[in-house]
Amino acid sequence: MTPSRSIRATALGPDGAREVTRALPEEVPVAVTCNGTTQAVMMCTPADLEDFARGFAFTEGYARPEQVERVEIIEADQGIEARLWIAEEAAEALGARRRAMMGPVGCGLCGIESLEEALRELPPVTGALVLDAGEAAGAAEALRAHQPLHDLTHAVHAAGFYVPRQGIVLAREDVGRHNALDKLIGALLRAGIDPASGAIVITSRVSVEMVQKAVLAGCPALIAVSAPTAHALRLAEGAGLTVAAFARGRRIEAFTHTHRIVTGETDVA
């Protein structure tokens, strides 16, 4: 299944009507199953789905990377199944966070059964990452070069991994911001890249779940082009995560654990 499709439309304006063709992103239900049991159904862009399955399983507490034995992506008439086969001990422990949902695009908290699960305790982030302020400010613009589906459709989010002095080394796109982040985390796991070695860069706002996923991945910094929510910042502060937002040109605003962003020759103005 392709991630986008050409759709005809009629453009209307002062000069009259004309037929146009738009490339629009696909959005399909993807059922994540573990050992044959459906755990979640998410609306996703049908690309990089093995990365999505691995990242989603990890950040949602279904299975650690080493507990995933294999992944199968199966297309069906109604959608796509991302089948994970996980170690028996992980399968037995899965009940505490089991979901059954069909929610809005990328709405990762839909279907959570209790407030305790939604606001779960996060492990501390201890990464020694240090980012130059100029690097951090430019990371969002650097991500733009890794968004081919956005360039085609103007309708998807992206998440990238920025390594100091290397730039964006991995990026993933999806109609849902949470899905894009899960895909990125899964890609990092598959590539053997330590999430503590860089910063996650996102094209969306910083919500509670974006903080949760970054922390659970072990990444010490989250950079966004848009605003954070107040509660997301409270979670980030408690977990030791650096959150920087409003990354525009040479400017950025650091909110939590600002010691990881230092000024230097490429400092923002």
Side-chain angles (χ1 to χ4, degrees):
M1 189 175 293
T2 59
S4 66
R5 185 180 300 273
S6 293
I7 304 292
R8 291 186 178 276
T10 302
L12 305 169
D15 54 350
R18 60 188 177 91
E19 297 299 311
V20 298
T21 301
R22 290 283 187 184
L24 301 177
E26 285 285 6
E27 183 180 11
V28 302
V30 176
V32 180
T33 70
C34 292
N35 293 7
T37 301
T38 300
Q39 304 298 327
V41 179
M42 302 291 287
M43 299 302 295
C44 298
T45 300
D48 302 306
L49 291 180
E50 181 172 349
D51 291 336
F52 169 70
R54 290 178 181 273
F56 186 81
F58 179 44
T59 62
E60 295 303 311
Y62 296 165
R64 298 188 304 274
E66 68 274 12
Q67 292 176 315
V68 178
E69 297 171 350
R70 71 181 191 275
V71 179
E72 299 172 339
I73 306 300
I74 308 296
E75 291 191 19
D77 292 339
Q78 300 87 354
I80 298 175
E81 282 190 37
R83 298 176 180 173
L84 293 107
W85 301 97
I86 63 177
E88 190 60 34
E89 68 271 15
E92 291 175 356
L94 193 51
R97 290 197 55 78
R98 182 173 178 179
R99 300 173 179 210
M101 65 179 179
M102 174 72 78
V105 171
C107 183
L109 293 181
C110 295
I112 285 288
E113 295 178 352
S114 72
L115 293 176
E116 289 77 11
E117 289 183 66
L119 299 178
R120 51 189 153 158
E121 185 175 351
L122 297 175
V125 176
T126 58
L129 176 73
V130 174
L131 292 170
D132 177 85
E135 276 193 310
E141 183 61 31
L143 181 58
R144 282 289 298 111
H146 299 265
Q147 297 178 243
L149 190 58
H150 171 80
D151 292 341
L152 185 65
T153 67
H154 303 283
V156 295
H157 285 291
F161 191 66
Y162 189 90
V163 177
R165 294 169 296 281
Q166 293 184 39
I168 299 291
V169 299
L170 271 177
R172 292 292 184 266
E173 295 180 279
D174 197 276
V175 288
R177 64 186 190 275
H178 303 114
N179 300 339
L181 181 50
D182 278 326
K183 286 181 178 181
L184 175 67
I185 292 170
L188 291 172
L189 296 175
R190 293 182 67 196
I193 298 174
D194 183 3
S197 65
I200 288 173
V201 187
I202 58 176
T203 59
S204 66
R205 62 186 172 88
V206 181
S207 62
V208 164
E209 195 171 16
M210 301 299 269
V211 167
Q212 290 173 331
K213 290 179 182 294
V215 170
L216 290 169
C219 185
L222 182 60
I223 298 171
V225 299
S226 297
T229 68
H231 192 59
L233 292 180
R234 287 193 289 271
L235 286 181
E237 184 65 43
L241 176 71
T242 296
V243 171
F246 301 109
R248 298 283 195 281
R250 299 177 61 235
R251 296 182 180 275
I252 196 168
E253 297 179 19
F255 289 88
T256 61
H257 297 277
T258 59
H259 63 279
R260 292 195 181 97
I261 301 180
V262 300
T263 56
E265 293 182 359
T266 57
D267 187 15
V268 291

